[in-house]
Amino acid sequence: SAVISQKPSRDICQRGTSLTIQCQVDSQVTMMFWYRQQPGQSLTLIATANQGSEATYESGFVIDKFPISRPNLTFSTLTVSNMSPEDSSIYLCSVERTGENYGYTFGSGTRLTVV
Amino acid sequence: SQQGEEDPQALSIQEGENATMNCSYKTSINNLQWYRQNSGRGLVHLILIRSNEREKHSGRLRVTLDTSKKSSSLLITASRAADTASYFCATGSVGSGYALNFGKGTSLLVTP
């Protein structure tokens, strides 16, 4: 089953700056998913990243604010741009596991605090 | 958009007791999954039940699915302090590359 390495695990950033979060998967996957989890809340899908094409964003999320790269089948980055305190959240990437042990694997999350 | 709604939102029990969490959803699904999250870290997949299944077991976990009521329950038997975590149900489509839709979660506290 897929293993995801997500970096950084946490960061404290100044407002107005940007942070890039990386996810490396140990196997090739078609789709990667990026989620946001605001404090005390559930997960909300930001976008779906397919290698070789632009990411598909959910309502309320735009590419200028959350640009995503997907240069190959094992790697993706999410940038949180021009940050404000409202962006303080946990950001998680995820991939779908196919086969007998079907499910989704998540990165360990990036806890972002914007001050 | 979020589809699942869990209840209760918070549950506090003692070690050895059983914990039951419920989840309701709104649209047709291919499968329903339960995840655990410890202290705001990454999610761990616990169990998946397909829409044509009614009950599934995995160790101390028992999941039921009632598609007519669009609801599912997760039972953790003989709970342990290490079971303290947030539990989320999520609905999805098998093998289609679609992202999961998560419920709001149940925060479980198991005290020694």
Side-chain angles (χ1 to χ4, degrees):
Chain A
S1 59
V3 175
I4 301 176
S5 173
Q6 182 171 347
K7 298 177 182 179
S9 59
R10 60 178 60 226
D11 208 341
I12 301 174
C13 300
Q14 297 290 324
R15 68 178 67 200
T17 63
S18 298
L19 175 72
T20 295
I21 302 166
Q22 301 179 3
C23 277
Q24 178 75 52
V25 189
D26 67 348
S27 58
Q28 294 185 340
V29 294
T30 304
M31 300 282 197
M32 291 184 73
F33 307 100
W34 286 96
Y35 291 87
R36 180 177 72 182
Q37 185 179 25
Q38 295 176 301
Q41 302 296 314
S42 186
L43 281 73
T44 300
L45 181 67
I46 297 172
T48 300
N50 193 0
Q51 194 270 334
S53 62
E54 280 198 4
T56 302
Y57 290 82
E58 297 298 301
S59 175
F61 298 97
V62 295
I63 188 172
D64 289 346
K65 176 67 176 177
F66 298 101
I68 288 171
S69 78
R70 185 79 207 276
N72 57 54
L73 291 172
T74 63
F75 188 78
S76 180
T77 67
L78 169 76
T79 299
V80 186
S81 303
N82 188 24
M83 289 184 285
S84 66
E86 292 70 35
D87 294 320
S88 297
S89 294
I90 297 171
Y91 293 86
L92 300 107
C93 60
S94 175
V95 300
E96 183 182 18
R97 296 192 315 270
T98 58
E100 190 175 321
N101 190 24
Y102 178 82
Y104 287 74
T105 299
F106 284 81
S108 54
T110 297
R111 184 182 292 271
L112 170 63
T113 302
V114 183
V115 298
Chain B
S1 59
Q2 290 183 351
Q3 170 156 237
E5 295 279 342
E6 283 97 329
D7 77 271
Q9 290 189 345
L11 181 60
S12 182
I13 59 175
Q14 291 191 318
E15 271 190 326
E17 295 181 336
N18 295 341
T20 300
M21 290 160 266
N22 302 298
C23 168
S24 61
Y25 56 92
K26 297 176 182 176
T27 62
S28 296
I29 60 171
N30 284 0
N31 68 82
L32 187 144
Q33 304 172 40
W34 286 89
Y35 288 82
R36 183 182 73 202
Q37 184 180 39
N38 291 82
S39 301
R41 296 187 58 80
L43 274 72
V44 175
H45 178 247
L46 294 176
I47 195 166
L48 177 151
I49 186 165
R50 300 184 190 278
S51 59
N52 61 352
E53 298 175 315
R54 292 297 168 260
E55 187 171 315
K56 202 163 184 179
H57 297 255
S58 177
R60 294 185 295 114
L61 305 180
R62 173 180 169 248
V63 170
T64 63
L65 179 64
D66 187 334
T67 53
S68 67
K69 295 181 180 178
K70 291 187 167 57
S71 67
S72 173
S73 67
L74 171 68
L75 168 67
I76 304 174
T77 60
S79 63
R80 306 165 182 167
D83 294 329
T84 295
S86 292
Y87 292 82
F88 296 91
C89 70
T91 57
S93 299
V94 176
S96 61
Y98 291 130
L100 295 173
N101 288 311
F102 282 87
K104 294 182 179 179
T106 293
S107 179
L108 174 65
L109 174 64
V110 182
T111 55

